[in-house]
Amino acid sequence: GAVVSQHPSWVICKSGTSVKIECRSLDFQATTMFWYRQFPKQSLMLMATSNEGSKATYEQGVEKDKFLINHASLTLSTLTVTSAHPEDSSFYICSARAGQANTGELFFGEGSRLTVL
Amino acid sequence: DQQVKQNSPSLSVQEGRISILNCDYTNSMFDYFLWYKKYPAEGPTFLISISSIKDKNEDGRFTVFLNKSAKHLSLHIVPSQPGDSAVYFCAASAFYNFNKFYFGSGTKLNVKP
């Protein structure tokens, strides 16, 4: 099946620094990628929809200036957590849809665990 | 307001028996449903889907049932195997925004040998 890879899988940073997480579709082109955040024992929460070549669409309550999303190519989307604080510590997961039709199948990355000290 | 709910945070089943995971939703506009499986420290992987025109979809040991009037879906795994032990998420999307999926909080399944 299609593969989506995230990097890094684990990152620890100091409060106030910025962290970039990459999401790559390895064997297919993805015009749309999605970024989720998961708190312990809670569901995946959609943060934003990343569109290749245009601005990301953010969900209500997600700070655009805090979580910068760039979808520079059909195989790469990046999420930058700017001026990270301990409350940003979470598990961040990206996904991408292979193909254009609404098959419903999303392929997920392995996730990136961010810990802000 | 959580539109997709999995009210059982965990489920324990004996190997070889049936596992039944439940999911409820509130939005009557949802017309496409998915089940994902997630191992610790890994991303979710797709298991099975069902659209609202059906009430059952089967794939090997996995069967998803949809009851639209009750806004309820369930995933049946039979026979259950120890390798099925994972967290299972249900997700739903609506026809007017099929890219946006709403996830339940997950049910942790433990299949005992």
Side-chain angles (χ1 to χ4, degrees):
Chain A
V3 178
V4 174
S5 177
Q6 271 183 251
H7 177 80
S9 57
W10 197 291
V11 57
I12 301 174
C13 69
K14 292 182 179 179
S15 184
T17 59
S18 295
V19 175
K20 181 185 284 187
I21 302 170
E22 294 185 347
C23 178
R24 293 181 184 274
S25 56
L26 298 183
D27 52 359
F28 66 98
Q29 293 183 331
T31 54
T32 306
M33 291 183 174
F34 307 91
W35 287 96
Y36 301 85
R37 182 175 180 177
Q38 184 181 24
F39 292 102
K41 298 183 181 179
Q42 293 188 28
S43 62
L44 290 168
M45 299 295 295
L46 179 65
M47 296 174 66
T49 303
S50 172
N51 304 295
E52 188 269 335
S54 64
K55 291 183 179 179
T57 305
Y58 290 81
E59 295 300 305
Q60 191 173 10
V62 178
E63 298 176 61
K64 301 178 184 180
D65 296 331
K66 174 76 172 176
F67 299 99
L68 299 179
I69 291 173
N70 184 281
H71 196 151
S73 75
L74 288 170
T75 59
L76 173 64
S77 175
T78 60
L79 168 68
T80 302
V81 183
T82 62
S83 188
H85 288 95
E87 57 265 30
D88 298 324
S89 298
S90 190
F91 196 60
Y92 293 88
I93 303 176
C94 70
S95 71
R97 183 189 303 282
Q100 297 297 320
N102 177 23
T103 64
E105 183 169 357
L106 293 175
F107 295 96
F108 285 84
E110 311 93 326
S112 300
R113 182 167 299 283
L114 171 63
T115 301
V116 184
L117 303 175
Chain B
D1 178 34
Q2 198 162 356
Q3 300 190 47
V4 178
K5 297 179 182 178
Q6 292 175 256
N7 293 317
S8 298
S10 63
L11 174 68
S12 189
V13 171
Q14 202 67 36
E15 180 179 7
R17 298 289 186 99
I18 184 171
S19 295
I20 300 176
L21 299 105
N22 294 303
C23 179
D24 297 291
Y25 60 96
T26 57
N27 189 341
S28 58
M29 296 295 187
F30 286 152
D31 66 345
Y32 205 96
F33 305 88
L34 309 164
W35 282 94
Y36 284 87
K37 176 180 180 180
K38 184 180 183 301
Y39 293 112
E42 292 184 15
T45 54
F46 173 78
L47 260 183
I48 192 168
S49 65
I50 188 168
S51 76
S52 59
I53 62 173
K54 293 184 174 182
D55 54 19
K56 176 184 174 181
N57 190 25
E58 195 172 347
D59 184 3
R61 296 186 297 115
F62 302 91
T63 303
V64 56
F65 295 92
L66 176 62
N67 183 334
K68 290 184 287 293
S69 60
K71 295 191 182 69
H72 177 85
L73 68 155
S74 61
L75 174 68
H76 293 211
I77 306 172
V78 55
S80 301
Q81 299 174 355
D84 296 329
S85 298
V87 179
Y88 290 79
F89 293 94
C90 66
S93 72
F95 65 91
Y96 53 80
N97 191 358
F98 58 79
N99 271 324
K100 183 172 179 177
F101 281 87
Y102 296 85
F103 285 81
S105 53
T107 297
K108 185 175 183 179
L109 173 66
N110 179 32
V111 180
K112 295 178 287 187

